[in-house]
Amino acid sequence: MPDLATYKNLIDARLNELGARLSDIETELDLPKSKDLGEQAVDLEDDEVLEGVGLVAQKETALLHDALGRIADGTYGTCQKCGDPISDARLRAVLYAVVCRDCAQAAST
């Protein structure tokens, strides 16, 4: 059984990082665009990249909140497919993991 307090702290820290990243992205996207057409084109391309990074951060944030819910209900660290424990190494690598390594590998083949 994983040390739930440790994982909660790790998840909270990651959520803080993601929150700061999303805030930075929002600030950057809100900056006024250059009047130069060439610069505007570059700005728009940069904005598309930032929006993509923001979407990934939002998705990870949702997955981490789901993981906090599993901590609260006592199911964190238990594979949702086979019911076996998810290894600490996997949980540290993927804080929101819902399946063990074996089930994840089986699903990808």
Side-chain angles (χ1 to χ4, degrees):
M1 175 108 175
D3 177 7
L4 298 181
T6 297
Y7 284 105
K8 183 179 182 322
N9 289 337
L10 290 171
I11 291 169
D12 287 340
R14 182 64 181 152
L15 285 169
N16 287 334
E17 290 172 22
L18 291 169
R21 180 179 300 162
L22 286 167
S23 179
D24 290 346
I25 289 170
E26 189 174 316
T27 299
E28 183 71 26
L29 289 173
D30 287 342
L31 291 176
K33 305 297 178 226
S34 172
K35 294 185 189 233
D36 178 84
L37 290 178
E39 288 292 320
Q40 282 181 8
V42 171
D43 287 345
L44 289 173
E45 287 179 9
D46 290 348
D47 285 356
E48 286 181 24
V49 171
L50 286 173
E51 288 171 355
V53 171
L55 289 174
V56 170
Q58 288 174 342
K59 182 173 181 174
E60 185 177 352
T61 297
L63 291 169
L64 290 168
H65 280 290
D66 290 346
L68 288 174
R70 290 192 303 282
I71 287 174
D73 70 17
T75 61
Y76 184 81
T78 302
C79 179
Q80 290 182 354
K81 293 229 185 227
C82 70
D84 287 345
I86 300 172
S87 71
D88 282 333
R90 178 156 172 79
L91 287 173
R92 285 192 181 272
V94 185
L95 290 169
Y96 50 82
V98 295
V99 294
C100 67
R101 186 185 64 138
D102 292 339
C103 288
Q105 286 178 339
S108 68
T109 57

